[in-house]
Amino acid sequence: MTLMDRLALFQPLDFIALTALFLFWAGIGWRVEHPSAKHLSTTRIMAGYRQEWMRQMVTREPRIFDAQVLNTLRQGAAFFASTSVIAIGGTLAVLGNAERLANVASEITLMDHPTIVWEIKLMVLTLFLTNAFLKFVWANRLFGYCAVLMGAVPNDPEDPEAYKRAEQAAQINITGARSFTRGLRSMYFALASAAWLAGPIPLMLAASITLIVIWRREFASASRKILLNP
């Protein structure tokens, strides 16, 4: 079966829904990382707190608390990386038995599609999960870099290198958090892409709901108001 033959198995609404899914994923990601100055996202607000954390670390003795917080961040990234691997393994296992999935899906959705259609839909889900895994692994690595930089910060606050090293650690920490947040967004949209198994309209609804949920958490949540409270 050629590529054109495979594409012909899908309806125009499928392509519209799939395009909307990727546009929502990329669009909300760009907006979260590049918000307007008057309406910052929670992610950008937290970046400021991460910088303040590293500045406070310079004069904190001992720095056990800072190490514990960073270790918690690394554990969170490792946990989600492991979760992504398990999810990818489960999806690939289903792909290996796509004929049974096609039979079950046909009974539920009343749509008689060839097995290749269900395989392509699962591949989109796997794509999001794989991206999430890579982001979580890189976040874990960056938090490790941050730990080394924190260890390189001189104990003497008067040392001219102290705040320079602290700023480097802050920027690496912010970059790691950005990668972690990107991984979470990929997992959110991976769940939304699973709705494509039920058809293009459920996919569009799931993608829209996911977009709204992420937007609210970044720009209209109660936690954001607390972070902005002077």
Side-chain angles (χ1 to χ4, degrees):
M1 183 180 291
T2 64
L3 177 61
M4 295 304 298
D5 292 333
R6 294 177 180 179
L7 294 178
L9 296 173
F10 295 93
Q11 302 174 358
L13 194 57
D14 284 298
F15 294 105
I16 294 174
L18 189 60
T19 301
L21 176 71
F22 283 101
L23 286 177
F24 289 170
W25 170 62
I28 191 62
W30 186 90
R31 186 59 179 172
V32 166
E33 296 177 9
H34 302 85
S36 63
K38 295 183 179 179
H39 201 70
L40 294 175
S41 63
T42 302
T43 298
R44 288 296 297 273
I45 295 171
M46 283 302 302
Y49 279 102
R50 292 175 189 276
Q51 287 181 304
E52 181 62 25
W53 168 23
M54 292 302 158
R55 284 193 291 266
Q56 294 295 329
M57 180 200 64
V58 175
T59 57
R60 183 180 290 120
E61 289 293 343
R63 296 172 181 172
I64 297 175
F65 171 78
D66 305 287
Q68 289 177 336
V69 174
L70 190 61
N71 186 52
T72 301
L73 295 177
R74 294 197 70 184
Q75 288 178 352
F79 169 78
F80 280 104
S82 300
T83 303
S84 300
V85 170
I86 295 173
I88 292 171
T91 307
L92 293 178
V94 175
L95 274 171
N97 198 10
E99 292 183 0
R100 181 175 297 180
L101 171 66
N103 294 332
V104 174
S106 299
E107 294 178 0
I108 296 176
T109 63
L110 301 179
M111 294 184 296
D112 188 16
H113 291 312
T115 303
I116 185 64
V117 171
W118 305 108
E119 290 177 342
I120 292 175
K121 291 181 178 182
L122 287 175
M123 286 301 296
V124 173
L125 172 60
T126 306
L127 178 64
F128 278 109
L129 291 174
T130 302
N131 182 71
F133 168 74
L134 295 175
K135 296 300 181 183
F136 289 135
V137 169
W138 184 233
N140 184 275
R141 184 68 171 171
L142 288 172
F143 288 140
Y145 293 162
C146 181
V148 174
L149 282 170
M150 289 169 63
V153 175
N155 289 326
D156 183 8
E158 302 300 327
D159 191 307
E161 295 295 320
Y163 285 96
K164 293 180 182 179
R165 296 295 186 197
E167 179 61 24
Q168 285 180 302
Q171 292 303 321
I172 290 294
N173 195 297
I174 291 170
T175 305
R178 184 187 305 125
S179 183
F180 182 83
T181 304
R182 288 175 178 176
L184 285 178
R185 280 198 299 271
S186 290
M187 291 199 75
Y188 292 156
F189 280 97
L191 293 175
S193 68
W196 197 15
L197 295 173
I201 294 179
L203 174 60
M204 294 183 69
L205 289 175
S208 300
I209 292 173
T210 302
L211 177 69
I212 293 171
V213 168
I214 295 177
W215 182 88
R216 181 188 174 280
R217 291 180 177 179
E218 289 287 346
F219 296 100
S221 63
S223 58
R224 179 182 178 277
K225 293 180 181 178
I226 294 171
L227 292 171
L228 284 174
N229 192 334

